[in-house]
Amino acid sequence: MTLHLTVSDEVRTLAPEFRHVAVEAYGLVNSPSGEGSSALLDDAARRLAARLDGRAPHEDPHMAAWRAAYTAFGAKPSRTRNSAEALAKRALADGGLPRINTLVDVYNAISVAHLIPVGGEDLDHIKGGMRLVRATGEESFATVAGGADVVEHPDAGEVVWCDDDGVTCRRWNWRQGTRTRLTEESANALFLLEAMGPRCDVAAAGTELAELLEKFSPGARITVHAPE
């Protein structure tokens, strides 16, 4: 793997059942959302509804495990939901899932269909390795507030993904920063699929994601790494 990923001992102690699968992809072709990626999102919403069978997303055992992990580092999971739970709520609402661009639509579809947090990072904007750590509170996080670019700081003890330039995702997988997000110019990407406990087949989700990336970007070089 070109990009080195590490999970700190502090995070492992906080959530010993945490696992992740990394999917590296080079030579991708991104584009505005189209019929193909939109159909994927619609199908993912149907798969989610069948899985939940009338339950709310937070009642799913995997989401309950994530809520427990969020509570353990001081977050309020009903206010700052993990990315999978937040997407699932949107998928089941009247407005449905947002259409962003092809790559984001693809990984959002995997997140909703498997009910797992999935994130995508532009490898060309990652500086150094990526680390999952408990923040000191001094790290910088580039985001948007009120339509303007701003720099925020995580809470001390908050679980964050970061690189050498700062935080790339706050509260584990709650909010991605603007610096490394996937845009229509992105060609090389890292996708992180995250699981809490044995209830989620994160490896199968990674394989499905890789197949979809190949479908939308034939010829891309894609590697699915074993769960860690």
Side-chain angles (χ1 to χ4, degrees), residues 164-194:
D164 290 352
D165 274 2
V167 173
T168 59
C169 196
R170 285 196 61 186
R171 293 179 188 151
W172 215 314
N173 45 47
W174 167 66
R175 178 176 294 168
Q176 185 183 29
T178 53
R179 174 171 56 89
T180 60
R181 65 186 174 186
L182 296 176
T183 69
E184 290 174 26
E185 287 71 46
S186 299
N188 305 311
L190 174 75
F191 300 91
L192 284 171
L193 299 86
E194 300 179 297

Side-chain angles (χ1 to χ4, degrees), residues 25-163:
Y26 297 89
L28 297 168
V29 178
N30 203 2
S31 61
S33 300
E35 290 184 4
S37 65
S38 184
L40 277 181
L41 292 169
D42 289 340
D43 181 64
R46 288 190 289 269
R47 291 168 65 181
L48 172 69
R51 171 187 177 133
L52 292 175
D53 193 24
R55 294 174 299 161
H58 72 268
E59 295 176 302
D60 183 270
H62 191 220
M63 293 299 93
W66 272 107
R67 282 192 166 215
Y70 268 49
T71 299
F73 70 79
K76 296 181 178 179
S78 59
R79 289 184 56 192
T80 55
R81 296 178 176 88
N82 74 78
S83 63
E85 184 181 330
L87 272 179
K89 285 180 66 68
R90 295 190 69 172
L92 298 173
D94 290 341
L97 289 164
R99 274 59 172 164
I100 309 297
N101 58 54
T102 297
L103 290 179
V104 175
D105 291 352
V106 165
Y107 79 70
N108 279 348
I110 293 294
S111 176
V112 169
H114 290 265
L115 200 53
I116 60 172
V118 182
E121 307 287 350
D122 189 319
L123 279 171
D124 295 326
H125 294 283
I126 295 292
K127 305 300 181 185
M130 286 185 63
R131 304 173 295 280
L132 186 66
V133 301
R134 301 197 71 173
T136 65
E138 300 297 319
E139 300 90 346
S140 61
F141 176 70
T143 187
V144 174
D149 293 334
V150 297
V151 174
E152 298 177 350
H153 302 280
D155 299 327
E158 182 181 323
V159 175
V160 297
W161 279 103
C162 62
D163 67 1

